[in-house]
Amino acid sequence: MVGKVAARREILRKSLIDIAKLRIARDGLSALRARDLATDAGCAVGAIYNVFGDLNDLVLSVNADTFQALGQDVASSLSEAGQTPVQQLIVMSQAYHRFAAQNYYLWRALFDLERPKGEAAPDWYLAEMGQLFTFIHDPLRAAFPQMDAEQRALLTKALFSTVHGIVLLGLDDASAGVQSANIDDMIALILNQIIGPL
Amino acid sequence: MVGKVAARREILRKSLIDIAKLRIARDGLSALRARDLATDAGCAVGAIYNVFGDLNDLVLSVNADTFQALGQDVASSLSEAGQTPVQQLIVMSQAYHRFAAQNYYLWRALFDLERPKGEAAPDWYLAEMGQLFTFIHDPLRAAFPQMDAEQRALLTKALFSTVHGIVLLGLDDASAGVQSANIDDMIALILNQIIGPL
DNA sequence: TCTCGTTTTTGAACGTAGTTCATTATGACA
DNA sequence: TGTCATAATGAACTACGTTCAAAAACGAGA
């Protein structure tokens, strides 16, 4: 019987990702423990390292799933959006906010996972980031057809950073958190001001 | 001779804060080690715990200094600012950016230090945050005298979050970092759009 | 100055992490 | 089925924050 080992490893891999996802979602990234994972998965601690290089690798896989889910949420929010670019941007931003609020620790793990110093982010990470940028970029092209590409790329990053900043500080109760409903108001206020009058 | 002990402890306290500041600035918060601190300070590891409750307490003190320095930088940037509210906001935001860039790890420590779960941020932290908010709030009052207080408070937080977000993602090379010069452009672009036309 | 009780400082030791690796168990193939 | 390569195991290793029994330093009274 060929591939039995590979199959078992694949099952363990998926299982570990799911368990880590649950634990991160419940207790946060910093509460993740190799021994807890092994207990939950019914395997030895060493088994984790047969499948992942280290715990960071495992969290990276969790983050890949999170990015996927986040991207889908944002994309599907578009279907219920109005037609104007600014309406689309607002709805997507509020979907981003909703995802971050409902999956707080998983969302935080996207940014809190520390990378080996000076090492670039993995390709898939940048690709997922680029995907989110695309969602913003398209309405901007509709809103500002005459704007040159470079300027529009800058505006895209600026808008993403803006929304991310509002959601980040809004959900972080240590940084003078804001009422959740107000976060959506802020997003709409800012986006209307930036895009609306142009 | 009374107060000799207290004086020595105070010296150690200051010394430890300075050393921690240097190490965080050089290697980042996550590279801070109790044993390294003790070695640099020429004291025993246990001595740290005579002066601070734990390492988090020490970092909190470092952060207090960082907030102080940041506040002064932002405040003094106003002296070279133009007279219009939007000019003032842009200059302060770019001062915020410059501080974050030049003191990256110290600035990150303000937000990366993890707090005991569910525990509120210390009072001085919120007070310092409030100080930064005030810097924004004043130009906004000049720009929008007719706006009601609540709305202006919301806009204040939104603007701070916006600038923070742009600087944060711009300086984080893992999140598709942006050229430093462009960060200032983004800030000016966004602030002009938000405030200018109102 | 010389005790002696108190307080402070010390650093070895403790508990808890992530990670490794010699050993054991297992699967694939002749 | 026997043999060997491969995988799984978990005790052990290292590194960390933190503690605490013991030693040193202190200061008041003789």
Side-chain angles (χ1 to χ4, degrees):
Chain A
M1 199 193 259
V2 162
K4 202 168 182 178
V5 166
R8 197 175 36 206
R9 277 170 74 113
E10 189 52 30
I11 287 173
L12 180 59
R13 192 190 129 83
K14 288 250 171 60
S15 173
L16 282 172
I17 291 176
D18 283 345
I19 292 165
K21 209 181 293 184
L22 280 174
R23 293 198 87 100
I24 293 174
R26 175 151 41 87
D27 306 321
L29 177 60
S30 64
L32 197 67
R33 305 273 172 266
R35 284 167 179 81
D36 292 344
L37 283 171
T39 302
D40 283 9
C43 69
V45 276
I48 297 171
Y49 296 87
N50 296 333
V51 182
F52 297 97
D54 57 17
L55 281 196
N56 260 24
D57 266 14
L58 169 52
V59 176
L60 226 48
S61 295
V62 171
N63 282 356
D65 282 8
T66 304
F67 256 125
Q68 205 65 31
L70 170 58
Q72 279 180 15
D73 268 25
V74 170
S76 76
S77 76
L78 270 180
S79 66
E80 27 180 298
Q83 295 308 305
T84 74
V86 68
Q87 282 174 325
Q88 291 175 350
L89 288 170
I90 288 174
V91 165
M92 286 193 296
S93 298
Q94 292 173 348
Y96 185 79
H97 167 217
R98 192 174 51 227
F99 184 92
Q102 291 178 347
N103 308 274
Y104 182 65
Y105 282 128
L106 286 172
W107 173 72
R108 286 293 304 228
L110 294 178
F111 304 96
D112 289 348
L113 177 61
E114 69 178 291
R115 278 163 284 282
K117 183 162 178 171
E119 187 172 312
D123 283 347
W124 65 261
Y125 185 99
L126 295 177
E128 289 290 347
M129 205 71 159
Q131 181 62 28
L132 289 179
F133 281 6
T134 303
F135 290 138
I136 301 175
H137 195 259
D138 290 347
L140 285 184
R141 182 160 35 221
F144 312 118
Q146 81 291 354
M147 188 181 278
D148 73 272
E150 196 181 345
Q151 182 93 6
R152 196 156 49 211
L154 207 64
L155 186 57
T156 300
K157 288 178 185 174
L159 285 186
F160 178 82
S161 304
T162 290
V163 173
H164 178 75
I166 291 174
V167 172
L168 183 68
L169 292 191
L171 294 180
D172 181 8
D173 51 12
S175 306
V178 177
Q179 301 292 351
S180 183
N182 285 345
I183 295 178
D184 279 348
D185 289 347
M186 283 188 199
I187 291 171
L189 177 69
I190 296 287
L191 289 179
N192 269 314
Q193 284 304 324
I194 297 174
I195 312 295
L198 277 184
Chain B
M1 201 192 261
V2 165
K4 201 167 182 179
V5 167
R8 197 174 37 207
R9 277 169 76 113
E10 190 52 31
I11 287 173
L12 180 59
R13 193 189 128 84
K14 290 251 172 55
S15 172
L16 282 172
I17 291 176
D18 284 346
I19 291 165
K21 210 181 294 185
L22 280 173
R23 293 198 88 99
I24 293 174
R26 175 151 39 88
D27 306 323
L29 176 60
S30 65
L32 196 67
R33 306 272 172 264
R35 285 167 178 81
D36 293 344
L37 282 171
T39 302
D40 284 9
C43 70
V45 276
I48 298 170
Y49 297 87
N50 296 333
V51 182
F52 297 98
D54 56 18
L55 280 195
N56 258 23
D57 266 14
L58 169 52
V59 176
L60 226 48
S61 295
V62 172
N63 282 355
D65 282 8
T66 304
F67 256 125
Q68 206 64 33
L70 170 59
Q72 279 181 13
D73 268 25
V74 170
S76 76
S77 75
L78 270 181
S79 66
E80 28 180 298
Q83 294 308 306
T84 75
V86 68
Q87 283 173 324
Q88 292 175 350
L89 287 170
I90 288 174
V91 166
M92 286 192 297
S93 298
Q94 292 174 347
Y96 185 79
H97 166 217
R98 191 175 51 226
F99 184 93
Q102 290 179 348
N103 309 274
Y104 181 65
Y105 282 128
L106 286 172
W107 174 71
R108 285 293 306 227
L110 294 178
F111 305 95
D112 289 348
L113 178 60
E114 71 178 289
R115 277 163 285 281
K117 184 162 178 171
E119 188 172 312
D123 282 348
W124 65 260
Y125 184 99
L126 295 177
E128 290 290 347
M129 204 71 159
Q131 181 62 27
L132 289 179
F133 281 5
T134 303
F135 291 138
I136 301 175
H137 195 258
D138 289 347
L140 285 184
R141 182 163 34 222
F144 312 118
Q146 81 292 354
M147 187 181 278
D148 73 271
E150 197 181 346
Q151 182 93 5
R152 197 157 47 211
L154 207 64
L155 186 57
T156 300
K157 288 179 186 173
L159 285 186
F160 178 83
S161 304
T162 290
V163 173
H164 179 74
I166 290 173
V167 172
L168 182 69
L169 293 191
L171 293 180
D172 180 9
D173 51 13
S175 306
V178 177
Q179 300 293 350
S180 184
N182 284 344
I183 295 178
D184 279 348
D185 290 346
M186 283 189 199
I187 291 171
L189 177 69
I190 296 287
L191 289 178
N192 270 315
Q193 284 305 322
I194 296 174
I195 311 296
L198 276 184

